[in-house]
Amino acid sequence: MNTFIIIITGILGATSTFYVNEHLKQGAVRASALLSLCVSLFFYCLPDLLNSYLTQNIPTAFIGASFVGMVSSKAISHYKWLILAGIIFSIIYINKSTFFKGYGGALGTTAFIALLATMAIPVVFSRKKKITNGILIFRKWLFRDKDE
């Protein structure tokens, strides 16, 4: 049951931050900070509402998932991909070991991995090879004439 609640927290963190960012026009940082503060204060004021595992991990999982929701609508424009990224983030968060122990930016790194995995799915399973055009553009940029 704890795992399910953390996954739901990841989905809510990602989608609500994206919604406040894009639809309420508050900006990514403000949306993440405001929602994370609300969730953290709720569990700070009511620590006995749920078991200790959830009380300690829901705010942290929400903050990390809000990093997922800070993504631009140009990168991910549909909520189904955002929900999937929230699920991937939650699964990584639940199964993290001591690998990230003492590593600054662990939540941001986990959010980045979740977004990267989610954004790769349409490219990998696409019949059109969009990645080829991106490589050609990068190659042209890399080897462009510096005098121009």
Side-chain angles (χ1 to χ4, degrees):
M1 188 65 176
N2 289 345
T3 302
F4 179 72
I5 292 173
I6 296 294
I7 290 173
I8 295 299
T9 301
I11 293 170
L12 289 175
T15 55
S16 61
T17 302
F18 186 79
Y19 178 80
V20 172
N21 176 20
E22 293 296 326
H23 297 287
L24 300 182
K25 305 294 183 202
Q26 292 300 309
V29 175
R30 186 180 292 175
S32 174
L34 177 68
L35 294 172
S36 297
L37 179 65
C38 291
V39 169
S40 297
L41 281 176
F42 179 80
F43 283 100
Y44 179 77
C45 294
L46 300 169
D48 297 326
L49 186 64
L50 298 171
N51 64 39
S52 63
Y53 174 81
L54 291 175
T55 302
Q56 291 174 352
N57 285 293
I58 285 178
T60 309
F62 190 92
I63 291 168
S66 74
F67 294 161
V68 172
M70 292 172 75
V71 68
S72 170
S73 61
K74 292 178 183 175
I76 293 183
S77 60
H78 201 280
Y79 279 98
K80 69 180 178 183
W81 297 114
L82 203 57
I83 290 169
L84 181 61
I87 291 169
I88 293 171
F89 171 83
S90 298
I91 291 170
I92 295 170
Y93 177 80
I94 290 167
N95 293 308
K96 73 181 184 317
S97 63
T98 57
F99 178 74
F100 287 128
K101 185 77 170 166
Y103 181 67
L107 290 176
T109 303
T110 307
F112 174 72
I113 292 168
L115 278 171
L116 195 62
T118 303
M119 292 170 70
I121 290 172
V123 174
V124 170
F125 293 109
S126 173
R127 296 206 174 149
K128 299 176 186 175
K129 296 301 177 191
K130 297 178 191 176
I131 198 163
T132 305
N133 189 28
I135 291 172
L136 290 175
I137 291 170
F138 178 70
R139 184 172 173 224
K140 285 179 184 178
W141 176 81
L142 189 64
F143 296 115
R144 72 183 185 282
D145 190 15
K146 305 279 188 211
D147 298 331
E148 292 180 8

